[in-house]
Amino acid sequence: MGMALTDRAPTGLVRTLLRAPIWFYRAGLGGLFGHRLLYLAHRGRSSGLRREVVVEVVRFRADGPEAVVVAAWGGTPQWYRNLQAEPALEVRLGPRRWPRPRQRLLAPAETVAVLREYQLAHPRAWAQIAPRLGFPAAADDPRWPEVAAAAHAVAFAPAAAG
């Protein structure tokens, strides 16, 4: 299998376009994205500085609530490595704001289940993005265990009350 588009972090115009939703969230317009895009503020593990990224939500459950995102660009993106070192500072999802959210790093089996759920719910989108991300297009593809080992997912929920 050749190198996927996402084996390296985006640069140039692609990076600028992917970061554009941050400005919408900063302007208080996160509601425009509903529960499709999640704003994540985290602390740089080396610099200690606040960092921001917007990522696509692959599963949202209103009960709870809980939002799951997958680290898809650049192998293991910096934001994911930072979350491994220290929990998120803030999550915004549409009009919701969760300071110091609860987070859990998903095990490989749950990550694959979430990706397959997304595949079933959004077959046309999956057909477009799966090849670019190096993900299998079919549910019975023998590469799913490889995807499970390489993909990284995080679930966020509001901090517990009290």
Side-chain angles (χ1 to χ4, degrees), residues 47-81:
S47 69
L49 298 175
R50 180 183 174 101
R51 303 293 186 197
E52 301 168 305
V53 66
V54 172
V55 290
E56 182 182 7
V57 174
V58 293
R59 180 174 71 193
F60 175 72
R61 292 195 172 149
D63 60 326
E66 182 181 73
V68 177
V69 300
V70 175
W73 287 95
T76 306
Q78 295 300 322
W79 64 262
Y80 185 83
R81 292 178 186 173

Side-chain angles (χ1 to χ4, degrees), residues 99-120:
R100 295 282 180 188
R102 288 182 290 140
Q103 76 178 38
R104 63 186 178 87
L105 306 178
L106 276 58
E110 188 178 3
T111 298
V112 167
V114 167
L115 289 172
R116 285 183 168 164
E117 204 176 286
Y118 183 93
Q119 178 186 23
L120 291 172

Side-chain angles (χ1 to χ4, degrees), residues 84-154:
Q84 289 177 301
E86 182 179 332
L89 299 173
E90 176 186 357
V91 160
R92 297 181 199 175
L93 183 63
R96 301 168 185 86
R97 181 177 177 269
W98 302 337
R100 295 282 180 188
R102 288 182 290 140
Q103 76 178 38
R104 63 186 178 87
L105 306 178
L106 276 58
E110 188 178 3
T111 298
V112 167
V114 167
L115 289 172
R116 285 183 168 164
E117 204 176 286
Y118 183 93
Q119 178 186 23
L120 291 172
H122 308 282
R124 289 173 54 167
W126 185 262
Q128 293 294 314
I129 64 170
R132 290 182 176 93
L133 299 177
F135 293 160
D140 61 352
D141 191 301
R143 292 178 298 141
W144 276 108
E146 178 186 330
V147 169
H152 307 291
V154 186

Side-chain angles (χ1 to χ4, degrees), residues 3-11 14 18 72-77 132-133:
M3 184 168 68
L5 171 68
T6 58
D7 286 348
R8 287 186 298 259
T11 58
V14 172
L18 290 173
W73 287 95
T76 306
R132 290 182 176 93
L133 299 177

